[in-house]
């Protein structure tokens, strides 16, 4: 089959399966399998595609039609301009989370110590390390499988970080200038209503924030002060309706300069504050 016809077939299949970005996903899968780029469709659309690649593409389209996330088929997701390996063991990095990284970067100085609580794929910590100098990074997660992915991502990016398996601060020692976290924050009752890609394929443990979605903020805020230097800063990603609650918890716990920042969609996405500030 020729390249263009294959793409059109794929887009049609995904559309019929109710995939939101059917044409985009069909193109990205074809580009991955054929090692082509975006312009190939317009410039070389009439070129035949080898039978083996056609078969691989048909299989990939079949998988995506069953609502397996694109990133699980590709095996990676770009985040902050870097490529992160992803599997079912980690939350797929979201573009919204780039807002969190960008806010931390406004306060990050070379040589600081950073703790990423609930690190998952490591995308937050590793982006911060990649865009700073001589910072020391520690990533914590309850999931050993997630940490294995985070370690691989560090290796692939040529970065060094400590990854520790820990139930929140249980195994954490020492003090940090920056603690950052994108904890699970979806209220348990909202999980059945999530998109199938998220509900069935992201790890539940990375999503479920308890009855009101705020369990992890309460636990992390309660303990973070012990692990921050005076004047150290705590940064959270939040669900768009959680800013008031999380800011309130931080103020009660003695954080100053508490601020809420919005993501590119204009939704509240980050809460930050300075210990004793
Ligand atoms: N932002 C993610 C979502 O909407 C949730 C991530 C999280 O709970 N930390 O699926």
């Amino acid at each position: 089959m020729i390249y263009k016809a294959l793409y059109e077939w794929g887009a049609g299949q995904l559309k019929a399966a109710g995939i939101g970005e059917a044409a985009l996903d069909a193109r990205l899968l074809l580009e991955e399998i054929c090692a082509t780029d975006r312009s190939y469709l317009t410039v070389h659309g009439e070129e035949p595609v080898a039978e083996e690649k056609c078969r691989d593409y048909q299989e990939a389209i079949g998988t995506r039609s069953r609502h397996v996330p694109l990133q699980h088929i590709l095996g990676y997701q770009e985040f902050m301009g870097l490529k992160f390996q992803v599997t079912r063991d980690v939350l797929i990095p979201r573009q919204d989370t780039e807002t969190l990284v960008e806010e931390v970067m406004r306060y990050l100085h070379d040589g600081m110590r950073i703790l990423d609580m609930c690190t998952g794929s490591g995308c937050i910590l590793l982006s911060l390390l990649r865009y700073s100098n001589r910072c020391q990074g520690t990533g914590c997660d309850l999931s050993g499988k997630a940490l294995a992915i985070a370690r691989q991502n560090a290796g692939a990016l040529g970065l060094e970080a400590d990854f520790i398996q820990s139930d929140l601060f249980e195994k954490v020692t020492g003090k940090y200038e920056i603690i950052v976290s994108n904890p699970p924050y979806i209220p348990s009752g909202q999980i059945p209503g999530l998109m199938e890609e998220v509900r069935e394929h992201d790890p539940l443990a990375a999503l479920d924030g308890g009855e009101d979605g705020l369990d992890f903020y309460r636990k992390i805020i309660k303990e973070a002060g012990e692990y921050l230097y005076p004047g150290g800063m705590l940064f959270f990603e939040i669900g768009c309706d959680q800013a008031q609650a999380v800011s309130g918890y931080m103020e009660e716990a003695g954080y100053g300069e508490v601020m809420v920042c919005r993501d590119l969609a204009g939704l509240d996405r980050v809460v930050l504050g300075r210990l004793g500030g």
Side-chain angles (χ1 to χ4, degrees):
M1 214 190 274
I2 62 165
Y3 191 87
K4 190 166 165 231
L6 202 55
Y7 158 72
E8 281 164 3
W9 170 82
Q13 292 289 113
L14 295 187
K15 195 164 173 227
I19 302 298
E21 304 256 27
L24 177 65
D25 287 10
R27 183 169 62 73
L28 292 174
L29 287 170
L30 191 56
E31 287 168 4
E32 179 73 15
I33 287 164
C34 297
T36 47
D37 63 19
R38 190 176 182 165
S39 64
Y40 200 88
L41 189 59
T42 16
V43 186
H44 301 287
E46 308 298 325
E47 302 269 328
V49 177
E51 214 169 289
E52 193 194 317
K53 291 201 187 325
C54 289
R55 271 201 304 275
D56 289 350
Y57 186 59
Q58 282 159 359
E59 195 184 319
I61 289 292
T63 308
R64 184 71 190 97
S65 297
R66 294 192 298 278
H67 290 258
V68 173
L70 178 74
Q71 296 85 347
H72 287 178
I73 307 173
L74 298 175
Y76 65 86
Q77 168 67 46
E78 278 187 17
F79 179 84
M80 295 300 294
L82 306 171
K83 202 166 172 174
F84 289 91
Q85 188 199 332
V86 294
T87 65
R88 293 197 64 134
D89 295 319
V90 296
L91 185 84
I92 296 169
R94 312 286 207 258
Q95 198 184 7
D96 294 341
T97 304
E98 294 185 344
T99 303
L100 175 64
V101 172
E102 282 161 6
E103 284 307 319
V104 176
M105 279 167 54
R106 286 149 54 87
Y107 296 87
L108 186 64
H109 295 297
D110 289 353
M112 281 185 167
R113 285 168 51 85
I114 311 164
L115 177 68
D116 177 12
M117 184 53 79
C118 311
T119 194
S121 66
C123 67
I124 297 170
L125 181 69
L126 296 172
S127 301
L128 292 169
L129 293 176
R130 174 69 179 69
Y131 296 119
S132 61
N133 297 298
R134 301 185 317 279
C135 285
Q136 280 181 51
T138 302
C140 254
D141 209 286
L142 182 58
S143 161
K145 287 181 175 172
L147 291 168
I149 302 294
R151 286 192 186 99
Q152 284 193 36
N153 280 324
L157 292 166
L159 295 167
E160 277 186 33
D162 285 329
F163 288 105
I164 53 178
Q165 188 170 10
S166 172
D167 186 358
L168 298 179
F169 291 98
E170 193 186 13
K171 303 260 170 66
V172 177
T173 53
K175 291 203 187 274
Y176 296 84
E177 275 95 4
I178 302 249
I179 298 180
V180 57
S181 183
N182 173 19
Y185 58 67
I186 313 271
S188 309
Q190 286 180 21
I191 296 204
L194 297 175
M195 280 170 68
E196 187 175 336
E197 280 81 346
V198 178
R199 186 184 70 226
E200 300 294 331
H201 299 278
D202 274 314
L204 180 63
L207 299 170
D208 192 343
E211 195 178 340
D212 62 359
L214 299 167
D215 280 3
F216 286 83
Y217 301 110
R218 283 186 287 263
K219 289 183 190 167
I220 294 170
I221 291 167
K222 195 166 160 215
E223 289 192 67
E226 271 180 58
Y227 301 91
L228 278 173
Y229 288 116
M233 299 196 63
L234 179 58
F235 296 78
F236 284 116
E237 176 170 319
I238 54 154
C240 58
D241 54 357
Q242 295 171 328
Q244 207 184 345
V246 175
S247 310
Y249 295 147
M250 285 183 64
E251 278 160 0
E252 280 166 34
Y255 289 81
E257 300 173 36
V258 174
M259 259 174 44
V260 178
C261 314
R262 294 190 170 157
D263 62 20
L264 293 175
L267 301 170
D268 289 344
R269 189 57 62 199
V270 171
V271 176
L272 60 93
R274 190 185 291 280
L275 186 65

Coordinates of all heavy atoms in Angstrom, one line a residue, residues 91 94 182-186 198 206-207 237, ligand 1:
L91 N 2.8 7.1 35.3 CA 1.8 8.0 34.7 C 2.5 8.6 33.5 O 3.6 9.0 33.6 CB 1.5 9.2 35.8 CG 0.4 10.1 35.3 CD1 -1.0 9.6 35.6 CD2 0.6 11.5 36.0
R94 N 2.2 14.6 31.5 CA 1.2 15.5 30.9 C 1.8 16.9 30.6 O 2.7 17.3 31.3 CB 0.1 15.7 31.9 CG -0.5 14.5 32.5 CD -1.3 13.7 31.5 NE -2.3 12.9 32.2 CZ -2.3 11.6 32.4 NH1 -1.2 10.9 32.1 NH2 -3.3 11.0 33.0
N182 N 4.0 16.1 42.1 CA 2.7 15.9 41.3 C 2.1 14.6 41.9 O 2.2 13.6 41.3 CB 3.0 15.8 39.8 CG 1.7 15.5 39.1 OD1 0.6 15.7 39.6 ND2 1.8 15.0 37.8
P183 N 1.4 14.7 43.0 CA 0.9 13.5 43.7 C -0.4 13.1 43.0 O -1.0 13.8 42.2 CB 0.6 14.0 45.1 CG 0.2 15.4 44.9 CD 1.0 15.9 43.8
P184 N -0.9 11.9 43.3 CA -2.2 11.5 42.9 C -3.2 12.5 43.4 O -3.2 12.7 44.6 CB -2.4 10.1 43.5 CG -1.1 9.6 43.9 CD -0.3 10.9 44.2
Y185 N -4.1 13.0 42.6 CA -5.1 14.0 43.2 C -6.5 13.9 42.6 O -7.3 14.8 42.8 CB -4.5 15.4 43.0 CG -4.2 15.9 41.6 CD1 -5.2 16.1 40.6 CD2 -2.9 16.2 41.2 CE1 -5.0 16.6 39.4 CE2 -2.6 16.7 39.9 CZ -3.6 16.9 39.0 OH -3.4 17.3 37.7
I186 N -6.8 12.8 42.0 CA -8.2 12.7 41.5 C -9.0 12.1 42.6 O -8.7 11.1 43.2 CB -8.2 11.7 40.3 CG1 -7.1 12.0 39.2 CG2 -9.6 11.6 39.7 CD1 -7.5 13.0 38.2
V198 N -6.9 6.8 30.3 CA -6.3 7.2 31.6 C -6.8 6.1 32.7 O -6.0 5.5 33.4 CB -6.8 8.6 32.1 CG1 -6.3 8.9 33.5 CG2 -6.4 9.6 31.1
A206 N -1.2 6.2 40.8 CA -0.7 7.6 40.4 C -1.9 8.6 40.2 O -1.6 9.8 40.0 CB 0.1 7.5 39.1
L207 N -3.1 8.1 40.3 CA -4.2 9.0 40.1 C -5.1 9.3 41.3 O -5.5 10.4 41.6 CB -5.2 8.4 39.0 CG -4.6 8.1 37.7 CD1 -5.6 7.3 36.8 CD2 -4.3 9.4 36.9
E237 N 1.8 20.3 41.9 CA 0.7 20.3 40.9 C -0.6 20.0 41.6 O -0.6 19.2 42.5 CB 1.0 19.3 39.7 CG -0.2 19.3 38.7 CD 0.1 18.5 37.5 OE1 1.2 18.5 37.0 OE2 -0.9 17.8 37.0
Ligands
LIG1 N1 -3.4 15.3 35.6 C1 -3.7 13.9 35.6 C2 -5.0 13.6 34.9 O1 -5.8 14.5 34.7 C3 -3.8 13.4 37.0 C4 -2.4 13.4 37.6 C5 -2.4 13.2 39.1 O2 -3.3 12.8 39.7 N2 -1.4 13.7 39.6 O3 -5.2 12.5 34.5

